[in-house]
Amino acid sequence: MDLSKLAKKNHYEHIIEQIKGLILSGGLAPGDKLPSTKDLSEQFGVGRSTTREALSALKAMGLIDIRQGGNCTVKSTSLPSPTLLPDLQPLLANRQTILELLEVRKSLEVSNAAIAAVKRDEQDLLLLEQILTEMSQHMGNEEVGESTDLRFHSTLARSTHNSIMVQLFETIASHLELVIRETRRVEIYANQAVSQQFYEEHRAIFQALKDQDAHLAQARMKDHLQHVEGILLRYLQA
């Protein structure tokens, strides 16, 4: 496999893009085996946890299978048809559209938290805890804060082990990124106090998942998203 070492560590998105590109271009065919997690990590110059996180995302996309023992095999050379929302980008200047999008996100992610609390496995918990560790080590760092926040929620969505839930989350998340960029994300991620509170809220969600307490996971996710909405709405009203 022709892979390039990453300039920065912990950028699992770059690993996803390189392997996905090889699969979609035909460089890897269905049935082909990927190198071991150890070998991939060495080729990319990252830790094994980062590689496992990227492979988990590729599995959620339907591109690879991960079998017992961690062996990965290419499953498909095309992405499944996504669950599409209408093109919301031209409407993001409309406050009502943004409010509706936040409402949809809350409904979906509260449900995801409950499902993940029941269906998550040890690998899911490991990935979530690693993201929390990175989050705690970079309080007030805008770029890392935005990345780890999105990764936590996308990993939680994959922890439902429901491909439709994952597709729905990814569609909504792409629109939410635009909203955050337009509402001074620095207030959310670069503010030390807000970063600390967000970390504690994510840690509480994680603990509920770890305890397999679906009701508590729902409540913790709802509390967190209401906090995020409060910040966003303050800027929408400005």
Side-chain angles (χ1 to χ4, degrees):
M1 290 175 63
D2 185 14
L3 302 171
S4 60
K5 188 169 289 189
L6 306 184
K8 295 181 180 179
K9 293 186 178 182
N10 297 324
H11 279 191
Y12 87 119
E13 297 94 342
H14 296 177
I15 300 175
I16 294 169
E17 289 307 311
Q18 286 199 48
I19 297 178
K20 183 171 72 173
L22 284 170
I23 294 173
L24 298 181
S25 67
L28 289 169
D32 285 352
K33 291 184 178 180
L34 299 184
S36 68
T37 302
K38 177 178 179 292
D39 289 342
L40 283 172
S41 300
E42 290 175 354
Q43 290 184 62
F44 284 118
V46 299
R48 295 189 196 184
S49 62
T50 302
T51 303
R52 284 194 292 266
E53 190 176 353
L55 293 174
S56 178
L58 289 164
K59 178 182 177 183
M61 294 176 189
L63 293 175
I64 66 171
D65 276 329
I66 302 178
R67 297 174 182 172
Q68 191 169 8
N71 296 318
C72 300
T73 304
V74 177
K75 180 179 179 182
S76 173
T77 55
S78 63
L79 292 169
S81 298
T83 303
L84 296 176
L85 290 176
D87 183 9
L88 296 180
Q89 188 166 353
L91 302 177
L92 288 178
N94 184 308
R95 183 174 181 275
Q96 184 59 37
T97 300
I98 296 173
L99 292 175
E100 290 176 359
L101 183 60
L102 292 172
E103 191 172 62
V104 171
R105 180 198 184 185
K106 185 188 296 181
S107 296
L108 177 65
E109 290 220 67
V110 168
S111 296
N112 280 352
I115 296 170
V118 175
K119 296 176 67 175
R120 96 290 183 279
D121 57 28
E122 291 304 311
Q123 179 67 15
D124 297 325
L125 293 177
L126 177 62
L127 293 175
L128 287 167
E129 189 153 37
Q130 288 165 348
I131 294 168
L132 286 169
T133 298
E134 187 177 350
M135 193 180 290
S136 70
Q137 293 171 345
H138 296 88
M139 294 288 185
N141 183 309
E142 180 184 341
E143 181 181 355
V144 177
E146 184 178 18
S147 172
T148 53
D149 186 278
L150 179 59
R151 285 163 53 198
F152 182 92
H153 288 272
S154 63
T155 301
L156 188 148
R158 293 196 298 273
S159 300
T160 66
H161 297 275
N162 183 315
S163 61
I164 295 175
M165 287 293 200
V166 174
Q167 291 177 41
L168 283 170
F169 171 80
E170 290 177 350
T171 301
I172 291 170
S174 67
H175 293 300
L176 284 171
E177 283 184 87
L178 292 172
V179 174
I180 290 173
R181 288 194 183 100
E182 293 301 319
T183 52
R184 291 179 59 188
R185 66 184 180 183
V186 67
E187 170 69 17
I188 298 177
Y189 299 117
N191 183 304
Q192 186 77 24
V194 173
S195 291
Q196 179 66 41
Q197 188 170 350
F198 272 19
Y199 168 75
E200 292 171 359
E201 290 167 2
H202 284 107
R203 171 61 68 177
I205 295 168
F206 169 79
Q207 189 60 51
L209 264 62
K210 188 174 182 179
D211 295 339
Q212 294 191 296
D213 189 329
H215 292 297
L216 186 59
Q218 284 182 307
R220 294 291 183 257
M221 178 63 79
K222 186 176 180 180
D223 289 345
H224 170 59
L225 294 179
Q226 285 176 335
H227 179 202
V228 175
E229 286 178 22
I231 294 173
L232 294 175
L233 291 175
R234 186 164 69 247
Y235 287 104
L236 289 175
Q237 293 167 355

